[in-house]
Amino acid sequence: RAVIECRVIESDPWCRKCGAEGVVRDTVARRLAHEPFGHRPTTLLVRVRRYRCDHCRRTWREDTTKAAATRAKISRGGLGWALEAIVVDHLTVSRAAAGLGVSWHTANTAILAEGKRRLIDDPTRFDGVTTVGVDEHVWRHTRFGDKYVTVIIDLT
């Protein structure tokens, strides 16, 4: 496993509640799965300062949303790598999870959410499409009965 230690460049010492300047309380480490370095899973170890406002006693952390979404376990670079691995390189979610060094459920949840955000929620995804093809297929050789799939393809 490769570990890359990082720090937040832009400090964020201003209280979001009262606007006073806070003081550094301590530092915490946020671990994020990142795109693999060679064939080894890579972890970003982001050092994040915690601040405390002496005026209103509120505490907060530096903003790390450029590296990863709030409460995410995988960095934005790691999600991009995983999406490309699944869509372009035809890897399974299991292989993408192993490459990231996270569990299958963590990888699957993050990849589906990012794919939905980038592809399904994009209002311009059908711009330029003039012809759509529909194909249906049935597998009759499964133990649990027939399995059906419908595929919609952009033929332009």
Side-chain angles (χ1 to χ4, degrees), residues 46-57:
V46 183
R47 301 280 182 192
V48 183
R49 288 187 201 105
R50 282 198 300 188
Y51 292 93
R52 190 184 85 229
C53 178
D54 287 335
H55 186 262
C56 67
R57 297 292 198 214

Side-chain angles (χ1 to χ4, degrees), residues 16-28:
R16 292 170 183 86
K17 186 175 180 184
C18 69
E21 186 172 5
V23 294
V24 176
R25 178 178 168 193
D26 61 358
T27 302
V28 294

